[in-house]
């Protein structure tokens, strides 16, 4: 049921649109017509904003649906990847040099991951003289992680202020397109 205020608002809109319309009001633009045009532009902008808000609500619903649907597929994929990794590990036990296994529908491979170097205490590290384990960054001295990795590999010594986290090998699969 429409209220009196809604009828009044519609009448005001109609008045402004009629005043702004060149066919209904062919008079040259004066202050009243200019103000009516500004009113109409504001109403149209408001309408555009309403459309954008409604569209965004629909987009949000679609994105949520997409996330739910892809999560279902991802869960199935993860279970299958775990089974493939177990199979591949069994193959590596029989052949320790095996790094890649190509098959008709895809490839399984494993690669050794580098240890993760973390500079836990940059101040402590920089107070020690480790030679080439630092680099000059414009305006200050900073640890050079590549040099630190090489130093640890060559000497077995871990500089103070540095921690090393060994990481598991990285298993990956590639699916052949087609």
């Amino acid at each position: 049921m429409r209220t009196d205020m809604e009828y009044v608002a519609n009448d005001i809109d109609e008045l402004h649109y009629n005043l702004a319309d060149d066919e209904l009001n062919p008079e040259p633009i004066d202050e009243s017509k200019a103000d009516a045009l500004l009113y109409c532009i504001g109403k149209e902008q408001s309408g555009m904003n309403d459309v954008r808000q409604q569209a965004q609500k629909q987009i949000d619903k679609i994105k949520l649906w997409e996330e739910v649907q892809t999560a279902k597929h991802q869960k199935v994929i993860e279970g299958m990847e775990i089974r493939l990794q177990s199979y591949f590990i069994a193959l590596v036990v029989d052949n320790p040099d095996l790094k890649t296994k190509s098959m008709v529908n895809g490839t399984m491979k494993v690669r050794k991951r580098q240890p993760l170097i973390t500079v836990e205490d940059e101040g402590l590290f920089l107070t020690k003289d480790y030679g080439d384990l630092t680099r000059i960054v414009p305006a200050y001295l900073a640890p050079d992680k590549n040099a630190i990795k090489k130093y640890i590999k060559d000497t077995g010594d871990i500089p103070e202020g540095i921690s090393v986290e060994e990481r598991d090998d990285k298993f990956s699969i590639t699916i052949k397109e087609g």
Side-chain angles (χ1 to χ4, degrees):
M1 182 168 230
R2 295 182 77 147
T3 65
D4 289 339
M5 291 303 291
E6 290 174 314
Y7 283 116
V8 170
N10 284 340
D11 289 346
I12 292 171
D13 285 350
E14 188 176 341
L15 173 71
H16 282 93
Y17 274 90
N18 287 342
L19 187 56
D21 188 331
D22 281 336
E23 288 182 22
L24 294 175
N25 181 16
E27 299 295 321
I29 294 181
D30 60 6
E31 192 169 322
S32 295
K33 190 170 187 175
D35 191 51
L37 286 165
L38 291 170
Y39 177 89
C40 294
I41 290 171
K43 291 297 280 186
E44 295 302 318
Q45 287 175 336
S46 178
M48 286 173 26
N49 289 336
D50 289 345
V51 168
R52 285 187 187 108
Q53 288 174 353
Q54 291 174 27
Q56 190 59 52
K57 285 179 184 177
Q58 294 303 314
I59 289 167
D60 292 344
K61 287 179 184 178
I62 291 169
K63 284 182 179 178
L64 178 59
W65 173 83
E66 177 189 26
E67 289 172 12
V68 168
Q69 296 305 312
T70 57
K72 289 177 186 177
H73 291 288
Q74 186 61 38
K75 186 175 180 181
V76 171
I77 289 169
E78 287 170 359
M80 291 177 178
E81 284 178 341
I82 289 169
R83 292 169 49 209
L84 280 173
Q85 186 173 5
S86 296
Y87 168 73
F88 192 80
I89 289 170
L91 293 176
V92 170
V93 167
D94 291 338
N95 180 3
D97 294 332
L98 182 66
K99 302 289 183 230
T100 302
K101 175 79 174 165
S102 293
M103 304 177 93
V104 173
N105 291 303
T107 304
M108 297 176 288
K109 62 179 129 183
V110 68
R111 69 174 173 84
K112 186 92 172 137
R113 290 175 53 180
Q114 295 295 317
L116 179 63
I117 303 292
T118 305
V119 181
E120 292 180 336
D121 188 341
E122 189 172 312
L124 176 63
F125 173 76
L126 292 173
T127 61
K128 304 292 181 178
D129 182 19
Y130 290 109
D132 293 336
L133 301 188
T134 57
R135 59 192 164 98
I136 297 176
V137 175
Y140 72 96
L141 192 63
D144 183 342
K145 288 188 180 180
N146 288 331
I148 294 169
K149 284 180 193 175
K150 184 177 181 331
Y151 173 82
I152 293 170
K153 184 178 179 183
D154 293 347
T155 67
D157 180 43
I158 298 174
E160 289 185 53
I162 302 296
S163 71
V164 177
E165 175 188 337
E166 292 297 328
R167 301 188 294 176
D168 292 335
D169 293 345
K170 171 101 171 113
F171 175 77
S172 64
I173 62 169
T174 305
I175 303 300
K176 291 183 181 169
E177 299 290 325

